[in-house]
Amino acid sequence: TVQLEPSGPYGSSTAVPADLVLWTAGSKPASQSLQPFPADAGGQLQTDATLRVLHHSRVFALGDVSKGQPGNDGSSASAGGGQGAMYPATAQVAFQQADYAAWNIWSAINGRPLLPFRYQHLGDMMSLGATNAAVALPLQLPSELSASITASPLGPLLSLVGLKLGSGQQQQSAAVSSGEGVTLEGPLAQLLRRAAYLYRQPTNEQRLNVAASWVQQAADAAARLAAEVSANSSSSSSSGIRR
């Protein structure tokens, strides 16, 4: 059962029977007093490599609200993920953790061994306005190949579409192996970002809803632009008549 407490001075607590409790939160819980689980100074729940909250065998946490701790089950951290690894606060991490959490909940219920989480970095995407974006892919090219392509006749074409090839030098962090890699910027990157966003939607209905909202936004932007052009044209015509 889950005990629900009133947020104000009125009302009474209510017990709700439940077989499974799913709790979603942002980068920091709204109130640390609502969580009777071990947390660090920032309010993040402390979990082991299987995403299970410490000292609570029936509770799992994922996403921004959780953080793994080293040495809880004898395993060690690695660049690809694992015990004590620090992961970026992105949807990509939570999306991958969701599969592990779901499997481990099933495994815990059925007495099966739990799987330690392993993060696979797939790149970074950032929107830069309505029509532009930046996409960084973890594709490492040899320095010689990158320089050769950039210096070839193909180089100006790649630059025109916003594609940049990294030098292949890698920088190591606690959880992610990243380097300059391959970067795409501009409208083409925005198309790629939106295609990936649509692909990640769980159902076709949600994909249609998201795509429809984008079409509506584009139509609204086009209407505003047409209105501005019409207003400017009318203003210029009025100025010419007065002269």
Side-chain angles (χ1 to χ4, degrees):
T1 60
V2 178
Q3 195 73 18
L4 301 180
E5 301 292 341
S7 59
Y10 306 104
S12 58
S13 61
T14 304
V16 179
D19 294 326
L20 177 66
V21 178
L22 300 179
W23 176 20
T24 61
S27 59
K28 183 176 181 181
S31 175
Q32 295 186 29
S33 63
L34 296 180
Q35 46 166 308
F37 308 118
D40 63 7
Q44 290 180 296
L45 303 184
Q46 298 177 346
T47 65
D48 61 19
T50 65
L51 307 178
R52 184 164 53 182
V53 176
L54 299 186
H55 315 304
H56 292 269
S57 61
R58 297 171 61 88
V59 181
F60 293 80
L62 64 149
D64 300 350
V65 78
S66 66
K67 182 175 71 174
Q69 294 295 312
N72 294 325
D73 65 351
S75 61
S76 60
S78 66
Q83 196 63 15
M86 296 293 294
Y87 304 107
T90 63
Q92 176 181 176
V93 174
F95 193 93
Q96 295 183 31
Q97 286 178 329
D99 288 336
Y100 282 84
W103 174 266
N104 286 340
I105 289 173
W106 179 88
S107 298
I109 293 173
N110 292 278
R112 302 286 295 275
L114 306 186
L115 293 178
F117 174 62
R118 291 293 181 264
Y119 173 61
Q120 182 181 6
H121 187 59
L122 302 177
D124 299 292
M125 298 184 179
M126 178 185 297
S127 178
L128 302 174
T131 59
N132 293 304
V135 176
L137 302 175
L139 302 176
Q140 301 298 332
L141 300 178
S143 301
E144 296 78 5
L145 177 60
S146 177
S148 176
I149 295 176
T150 303
S152 71
L154 191 60
L157 179 60
L158 296 179
S159 179
L160 181 63
V161 299
L163 186 64
K164 299 179 181 179
L165 305 180
S167 62
Q169 297 177 349
Q170 296 186 352
Q171 299 174 348
Q172 298 292 333
S173 66
V176 179
S177 297
S178 62
E180 294 181 22
V182 176
T183 302
L184 182 63
E185 299 176 352
L188 191 58
Q190 182 69 292
L191 291 176
L192 178 60
R193 174 184 171 275
R194 293 197 169 188
Y197 190 87
L198 283 177
Y199 174 74
R200 287 295 190 179
Q201 297 302 305
T203 66
N204 288 331
E205 181 180 0
Q206 288 173 295
R207 293 187 183 98
L208 289 175
N209 290 336
V210 171
S213 69
W214 287 343
V215 172
Q216 184 62 49
Q217 291 173 7
D220 293 342
R224 289 194 300 269
L225 180 60
E228 292 176 3
V229 171
S230 178
N232 292 335
S233 177
S234 299
S235 177
S236 299
S237 299
S238 298
S239 298
I241 293 174
R242 282 198 297 270
R243 290 193 189 97

